[in-house]
Amino acid sequence: QVQLVESGGGLVQAGGSLRLSCVVSGSTDSIGTIGWYRQAPGKQRQLVAFITKIYTTNYSDSVKGRFTISRDNAKKTVYLQMNSLKPEDTAVYYCNGDIAPVGFLMRKYWGQGTQVTVSS
């Protein structure tokens, strides 16, 4: 069974850094675009960044220049390096991926989320 498992969240002071990881577990035929989303209390979930299978990246304006998304296909892992964190970055961060389990068509999967809290 394919799952996305996030880790790396926590409490950090403003200006600090965190690195989130999203591991794709289970047997897969293909892993396509993987994205990081976040949802703050009372707000809609929003896209933070994504990376395609051929390493093309895209960032929301609010994190451009501070966050870096990367992937290690051999480890089936996508990372989100977050630097110069601000209190407004506080949210639950979710991993979302286009994944084809062995013998099945590609579909979207969500992780369970990891909490990031930035104190001022």
Side-chain angles (χ1 to χ4, degrees), residues 9-104:
L11 173 64
V12 64
Q13 287 189 331
S17 298
L18 284 173
R19 188 176 82 155
L20 305 183
S21 298
C22 172
V23 178
V24 179
S25 66
S27 299
T28 58
D29 277 340
S30 179
I31 300 174
T33 296
I34 303 286
W36 283 99
Y37 291 72
R38 66 186 181 187
Q39 187 167 20
K43 295 189 176 181
Q44 288 189 332
R45 193 171 298 188
Q46 59 177 195
L47 177 65
V48 175
F50 69 80
I51 184 166
T52 69
K53 191 173 185 177
I54 58 170
Y55 302 96
T56 302
T57 60
N58 188 274
Y59 299 90
S60 69
D61 288 342
S62 62
V63 306
K64 204 171 291 185
R66 300 188 297 123
F67 291 10
T68 302
I69 191 169
S70 61
R71 67 191 287 164
D72 184 332
N73 287 336
K75 294 182 179 179
K76 297 200 291 186
T77 302
V78 171
Y79 304 98
L80 186 67
Q81 178 66 43
M82 306 186 297
N83 298 329
S84 303
L85 282 161
K86 304 175 181 179
E88 50 263 45
D89 294 318
T90 295
V92 178
Y93 284 70
Y94 297 90
C95 182
N96 172 273
D98 296 326
I99 299 167
V102 171
F104 291 87

